[in-house]
Every structure is written in C-alpha cells, then in structure tokens.
C-alpha cells in the first residue's frame, strides 16, 4: 500500500529548455540548469488506488549563471500499487 501522511524533503530537478524561435543565425537557442527545492506536503490515499499529494516550499533555480528564488507549489496524482 502507498504511504500516506506528511513529508518534508528536498527535490532536485534538471532543466533543459529549447526556444520556439530561431535566433538571427537560424539556430534555436537552448539552455540547461537546475532547480533545488525544500518541500513540505501531505499525501492522501483515495479509494485505496489513487494518491493525491499537494506540496509547497521555497525553491532556487540556477540557469545560465543566473539565480532566481521563488515559491514552489503543486499537486501530484498517481496510482497506488
């Protein structure tokens, strides 16, 4: 059975993005970076098969020598097995 209850922990993401537009040389720009978050959330189990996990916390994005700080929130939904 899937776990349920509160959780606190880090999340690290690799980010790769490609522009929809070409630059003046006809090449699409792309970038790579990282996101580091500190999240707190609660996982619920619905109907013994569906997990619902709302989370929130501070986050830091590092892309092309620039650093941005912000607030991260979201919900994940999955199947318990």
């Amino acid at each position: 059975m899937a776990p349920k209850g509160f959780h606190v922990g880090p999340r690290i993401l690799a980010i790769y993005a490609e522009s929809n537009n070409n630059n003046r040389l006809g090449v699409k720009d792309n970038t790579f970076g990282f996101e580091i978050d500190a999240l707190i959330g609660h996982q619920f189990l619905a109907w013994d098969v569906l997990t619902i996990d709302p989370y929130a916390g501070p986050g830091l994005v590092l892309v092309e020598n620039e650093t941005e700080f912000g607030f991260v929130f979201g919900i994940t939904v999955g199947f318990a097995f």
Side-chain angles (χ1 to χ4, degrees):
M1 181 174 287
K4 55 185 174 179
F6 284 97
H7 59 86
V8 176
R11 176 176 73 169
I12 300 174
L13 303 169
I15 302 167
Y16 175 80
E18 184 177 278
S19 174
N20 288 332
N21 301 320
N22 294 337
N23 64 18
R24 61 184 171 203
L25 298 176
V27 178
K28 290 188 177 189
D29 291 325
N30 57 42
T31 188
F32 183 78
F34 292 97
E35 180 178 340
I36 302 168
D37 306 321
L39 302 177
I40 184 168
H42 190 279
Q43 182 166 304
F44 302 92
L45 188 59
W47 305 290
D48 292 331
V49 294
L50 186 67
T51 60
I52 303 169
D53 183 7
Y55 59 85
L60 185 67
V61 176
L62 309 164
V63 177
E64 291 189 359
N65 298 325
E66 292 186 26
T67 303
E68 293 289 330
F69 180 78
F71 189 74
V72 178
F73 62 92
I75 296 175
T76 60
V77 178
F79 290 103
F81 59 92

